[in-house]
Amino acid sequence: MTCIACKQLEHILYTNIIHHFEDHLILNDKQHGFRSGRSCETQLAGLVDDLARTLDNRGRTDVCIMDFSKAFDTVPHQRHLLKLDHLGIRSHIKRWIAGFLTKRQQRVVLDGQSSSTSPVTSGVPQGTVLGPLLFLAYINDLPDQLISNIRLFADDVILYRPINTPEDTDILQNDINSLHNWEKTWQMKFNISKCFIMNVTHQRKFVPHEYHLGDSILQVVSNHPYLGVNLSNNLSWASHINQTVNKANSVLGLLKRNLWNCSSRTKEIAYKTIVRPRLDYCSSVWDPYQKVHQDSLEKVQRRAARFVTKEYRHTCSVTEMLQNLGWETLQDRREKSRLLTLFKETHNITPSNITRHIDKESSLKPRTRQSHELNYKVTRPNKDCYKYSLYPRTIIKWNGLPAAAKSAPNVATFKLIVDNISKTVSVGVNSSH
């Protein structure tokens, strides 16, 4: 069978298996990796909302960030086939997957010399169509015995619990113990050097609890990268924004050195393809409200505008350059991203956290010109970290959108309506000046 035929067969099997999993609600809802409608952004949106709500109530959340060691390479084949059978993957499909996993050889080639071949006894093949789905199936039962909150993104595990009493630390420790027992039973291993504890709180006086994974004490950190975003123990995004700006400036500098003689069109494509995505990545979650951070991000784009237009004179207006290029501000892009998140959650395109903010009494209130069945309850947070977080901040803007936007039939129509509103506001502002 040719490689092309193998890939086609993999796609056929993948489609049928994923339909089986979805029809029977088999895949754990806590898993956001390798699943349609789920992403790093949906994972982070729910996590940060949980943490910010606890902070707003002057509470503390202990977070355990965990990572498997060589996860895809260590999945034992026979145990994997046993789990597939339990999930309803049997008969011919199970036998095909058994051959797909086990009938593989490996060897080492160095300086033109190769070792003898040996059978591959564990792991799901990376770079294949089925590999990610098979891995999700293997770790699908990992959250089953846990009491605390858990979120999975492929092999990244984050376990957390609000700490109100000493008993809560015991419960979290018991859950860590359950994960340790799971890894021993199913022959996978957490990388202890990549497992940490973060105490997310604004409390100045508290006694941190010492958590263990097996015989190892988990190190306490004040900030840590998670899914490409730097989480801090006070939910300040200053560190993440500084890192983002530095990386974006570094890449922009690389473009300046290598594309200095290219056309403006080529430079613009390079900026939008390589630099701007770094500034936009998961920005709906960490969108800053402090002007110093907003300006720090905008300066990167302003430098890019000079690079694209080849205008470095101090007398040239960068604002005019941006208008001529048709680039909207990064702040506007982040606001649209936040609104798009609410639209997708409202219409069940992605998993929803916004249901927490449904105003259950709205149906009992008299209708006004500003009311709408898809409006959400405006909260009154105590702390800025929650007030300016994704949902409380965006709901105000969402409720002010026209009904046509909130009830748009699809994402493309919603984006078009919001873009037109943004252009109208921009023209009005420019006319007033």
Side-chain angles (χ1 to χ4, degrees), residues 309-327:
T309 59
K310 302 179 183 179
E311 286 287 359
Y312 292 97
R313 291 174 297 175
H314 294 295
T315 54
C316 295
S317 170
V318 180
T319 301
E320 289 184 8
M321 295 180 203
L322 293 169
Q323 291 175 349
N324 293 334
L325 288 168
W327 293 0

mmCIF file of all heavy atoms in Angstrom, residues 309-327:
data_model
loop_
_atom_site.group_PDB
_atom_site.id
_atom_site.type_symbol
_atom_site.label_atom_id
_atom_site.label_comp_id
_atom_site.label_asym_id
_atom_site.label_seq_id
_atom_site.Cartn_x
_atom_site.Cartn_y
_atom_site.Cartn_z
ATOM 1 N N THR A 309 6.970 51.371 4.857
ATOM 2 C CA THR A 309 6.868 52.553 3.988
ATOM 3 C C THR A 309 8.228 53.188 3.687
ATOM 4 O O THR A 309 8.304 54.121 2.880
ATOM 5 C CB THR A 309 5.971 53.612 4.646
ATOM 6 O OG1 THR A 309 6.529 53.978 5.925
ATOM 7 C CG2 THR A 309 4.564 53.084 4.849
ATOM 8 N N LYS A 310 9.279 52.719 4.348
ATOM 9 C CA LYS A 310 10.643 53.246 4.160
ATOM 10 C C LYS A 310 10.735 54.720 4.537
ATOM 11 O O LYS A 310 11.524 55.477 3.976
ATOM 12 C CB LYS A 310 11.098 53.062 2.703
ATOM 13 C CG LYS A 310 11.084 51.621 2.212
ATOM 14 C CD LYS A 310 11.528 51.542 0.762
ATOM 15 C CE LYS A 310 11.437 50.101 0.258
ATOM 16 N NZ LYS A 310 11.840 49.987 -1.165
ATOM 17 N N GLU A 311 9.931 55.129 5.502
ATOM 18 C CA GLU A 311 9.948 56.511 5.974
ATOM 19 C C GLU A 311 10.465 56.551 7.400
ATOM 20 O O GLU A 311 9.788 56.133 8.332
ATOM 21 C CB GLU A 311 8.535 57.121 5.914
ATOM 22 C CG GLU A 311 8.047 57.464 4.524
ATOM 23 C CD GLU A 311 8.748 58.689 3.949
ATOM 24 O OE1 GLU A 311 9.595 59.285 4.643
ATOM 25 O OE2 GLU A 311 8.457 59.044 2.798
ATOM 26 N N TYR A 312 11.685 57.039 7.572
ATOM 27 C CA TYR A 312 12.295 57.081 8.901
ATOM 28 C C TYR A 312 12.519 58.513 9.394
ATOM 29 O O TYR A 312 13.083 58.719 10.463
ATOM 30 C CB TYR A 312 13.622 56.331 8.896
ATOM 31 C CG TYR A 312 13.463 54.832 8.717
ATOM 32 C CD1 TYR A 312 13.596 54.251 7.454
ATOM 33 C CD2 TYR A 312 13.147 54.008 9.786
ATOM 34 C CE1 TYR A 312 13.440 52.881 7.283
ATOM 35 C CE2 TYR A 312 12.990 52.646 9.625
ATOM 36 C CZ TYR A 312 13.135 52.086 8.369
ATOM 37 O OH TYR A 312 12.971 50.724 8.197
ATOM 38 N N ARG A 313 12.071 59.488 8.611
ATOM 39 C CA ARG A 313 12.262 60.885 9.026
ATOM 40 C C ARG A 313 11.345 61.215 10.202
ATOM 41 O O ARG A 313 10.186 60.803 10.238
ATOM 42 C CB ARG A 313 11.952 61.818 7.852
ATOM 43 C CG ARG A 313 12.962 61.736 6.707
ATOM 44 C CD ARG A 313 12.513 62.569 5.535
ATOM 45 N NE ARG A 313 11.253 62.065 4.978
ATOM 46 C CZ ARG A 313 10.586 62.665 3.993
ATOM 47 N NH1 ARG A 313 11.044 63.808 3.491
ATOM 48 N NH2 ARG A 313 9.454 62.142 3.539
ATOM 49 N N HIS A 314 11.870 61.975 11.138
ATOM 50 C CA HIS A 314 11.084 62.333 12.329
ATOM 51 C C HIS A 314 9.916 63.247 11.988
ATOM 52 O O HIS A 314 8.959 63.354 12.758
ATOM 53 C CB HIS A 314 11.983 63.010 13.366
ATOM 54 C CG HIS A 314 13.026 62.105 13.944
ATOM 55 N ND1 HIS A 314 12.706 61.010 14.711
ATOM 56 C CD2 HIS A 314 14.387 62.122 13.848
ATOM 57 C CE1 HIS A 314 13.815 60.385 15.077
ATOM 58 N NE2 HIS A 314 14.855 61.043 14.564
ATOM 59 N N THR A 315 9.984 63.912 10.857
ATOM 60 C CA THR A 315 8.903 64.824 10.480
ATOM 61 C C THR A 315 7.715 64.083 9.864
ATOM 62 O O THR A 315 6.647 64.669 9.693
ATOM 63 C CB THR A 315 9.432 65.848 9.461
ATOM 64 O OG1 THR A 315 10.043 65.152 8.357
ATOM 65 C CG2 THR A 315 10.462 66.770 10.106
ATOM 66 N N CYS A 316 7.884 62.811 9.552
ATOM 67 C CA CYS A 316 6.800 62.025 8.949
ATOM 68 C C CYS A 316 5.851 61.517 10.043
ATOM 69 O O CYS A 316 6.298 61.084 11.113
ATOM 70 C CB CYS A 316 7.355 60.844 8.166
ATOM 71 S SG CYS A 316 8.331 61.337 6.728
ATOM 72 N N SER A 317 4.579 61.572 9.769
ATOM 73 C CA SER A 317 3.570 61.136 10.730
ATOM 74 C C SER A 317 3.339 59.629 10.598
ATOM 75 O O SER A 317 2.895 59.146 9.549
ATOM 76 C CB SER A 317 2.256 61.879 10.498
ATOM 77 O OG SER A 317 1.217 61.313 11.257
ATOM 78 N N VAL A 318 3.615 58.913 11.672
ATOM 79 C CA VAL A 318 3.385 57.470 11.650
ATOM 80 C C VAL A 318 1.891 57.170 11.619
ATOM 81 O O VAL A 318 1.453 56.184 11.008
ATOM 82 C CB VAL A 318 4.040 56.801 12.880
ATOM 83 C CG1 VAL A 318 3.808 55.295 12.855
ATOM 84 C CG2 VAL A 318 5.531 57.093 12.921
ATOM 85 N N THR A 319 1.092 58.028 12.238
ATOM 86 C CA THR A 319 -0.361 57.835 12.226
ATOM 87 C C THR A 319 -0.887 57.849 10.803
ATOM 88 O O THR A 319 -1.731 57.026 10.417
ATOM 89 C CB THR A 319 -1.046 58.927 13.060
ATOM 90 O OG1 THR A 319 -0.551 58.878 14.396
ATOM 91 C CG2 THR A 319 -2.556 58.729 13.070
ATOM 92 N N GLU A 320 -0.373 58.778 9.985
ATOM 93 C CA GLU A 320 -0.782 58.824 8.582
ATOM 94 C C GLU A 320 -0.315 57.581 7.832
ATOM 95 O O GLU A 320 -1.017 57.066 6.961
ATOM 96 C CB GLU A 320 -0.230 60.083 7.917
ATOM 97 C CG GLU A 320 -0.907 61.364 8.374
ATOM 98 C CD GLU A 320 -0.398 62.584 7.617
ATOM 99 O OE1 GLU A 320 0.371 62.389 6.632
ATOM 100 O OE2 GLU A 320 -0.751 63.703 7.986
ATOM 101 N N MET A 321 0.879 57.104 8.169
ATOM 102 C CA MET A 321 1.373 55.876 7.536
ATOM 103 C C MET A 321 0.420 54.718 7.812
ATOM 104 O O MET A 321 0.064 53.950 6.911
ATOM 105 C CB MET A 321 2.769 55.517 8.077
ATOM 106 C CG MET A 321 3.865 56.484 7.758
ATOM 107 S SD MET A 321 5.438 55.901 8.467
ATOM 108 C CE MET A 321 6.345 57.442 8.580
ATOM 109 N N LEU A 322 0.013 54.603 9.054
ATOM 110 C CA LEU A 322 -0.888 53.519 9.434
ATOM 111 C C LEU A 322 -2.229 53.642 8.707
ATOM 112 O O LEU A 322 -2.800 52.637 8.264
ATOM 113 C CB LEU A 322 -1.104 53.524 10.942
ATOM 114 C CG LEU A 322 0.120 53.169 11.800
ATOM 115 C CD1 LEU A 322 -0.152 53.470 13.267
ATOM 116 C CD2 LEU A 322 0.485 51.707 11.632
ATOM 117 N N GLN A 323 -2.729 54.870 8.572
ATOM 118 C CA GLN A 323 -3.994 55.073 7.865
ATOM 119 C C GLN A 323 -3.859 54.730 6.393
ATOM 120 O O GLN A 323 -4.738 54.095 5.806
ATOM 121 C CB GLN A 323 -4.460 56.522 8.037
ATOM 122 C CG GLN A 323 -4.900 56.861 9.462
ATOM 123 C CD GLN A 323 -5.237 58.330 9.637
ATOM 124 O OE1 GLN A 323 -4.957 59.153 8.752
ATOM 125 N NE2 GLN A 323 -5.821 58.672 10.780
ATOM 126 N N ASN A 324 -2.750 55.139 5.783
ATOM 127 C CA ASN A 324 -2.533 54.838 4.365
ATOM 128 C C ASN A 324 -2.363 53.339 4.119
ATOM 129 O O ASN A 324 -2.784 52.812 3.082
ATOM 130 C CB ASN A 324 -1.302 55.596 3.851
ATOM 131 C CG ASN A 324 -1.512 57.102 3.830
ATOM 132 O OD1 ASN A 324 -2.654 57.577 3.728
ATOM 133 N ND2 ASN A 324 -0.430 57.862 3.923
ATOM 134 N N LEU A 325 -1.755 52.658 5.081
ATOM 135 C CA LEU A 325 -1.592 51.208 4.967
ATOM 136 C C LEU A 325 -2.891 50.463 5.253
ATOM 137 O O LEU A 325 -3.039 49.286 4.882
ATOM 138 C CB LEU A 325 -0.506 50.724 5.939
ATOM 139 C CG LEU A 325 0.949 51.084 5.590
ATOM 140 C CD1 LEU A 325 1.864 50.804 6.781
ATOM 141 C CD2 LEU A 325 1.415 50.307 4.361
ATOM 142 N N GLY A 326 -3.816 51.134 5.923
ATOM 143 C CA GLY A 326 -5.081 50.491 6.282
ATOM 144 C C GLY A 326 -4.951 49.552 7.466
ATOM 145 O O GLY A 326 -5.748 48.620 7.609
ATOM 146 N N TRP A 327 -3.943 49.805 8.333
ATOM 147 C CA TRP A 327 -3.749 48.939 9.496
ATOM 148 C C TRP A 327 -4.551 49.482 10.678
ATOM 149 O O TRP A 327 -4.384 50.635 11.071
ATOM 150 C CB TRP A 327 -2.271 48.897 9.901
ATOM 151 C CG TRP A 327 -1.370 48.231 8.905
ATOM 152 C CD1 TRP A 327 -1.717 47.678 7.714
ATOM 153 C CD2 TRP A 327 0.051 48.084 9.024
ATOM 154 N NE1 TRP A 327 -0.601 47.179 7.077
ATOM 155 C CE2 TRP A 327 0.491 47.403 7.856
ATOM 156 C CE3 TRP A 327 0.983 48.450 9.985
ATOM 157 C CZ2 TRP A 327 1.828 47.106 7.635
ATOM 158 C CZ3 TRP A 327 2.314 48.151 9.781
ATOM 159 C CH2 TRP A 327 2.733 47.476 8.618
#
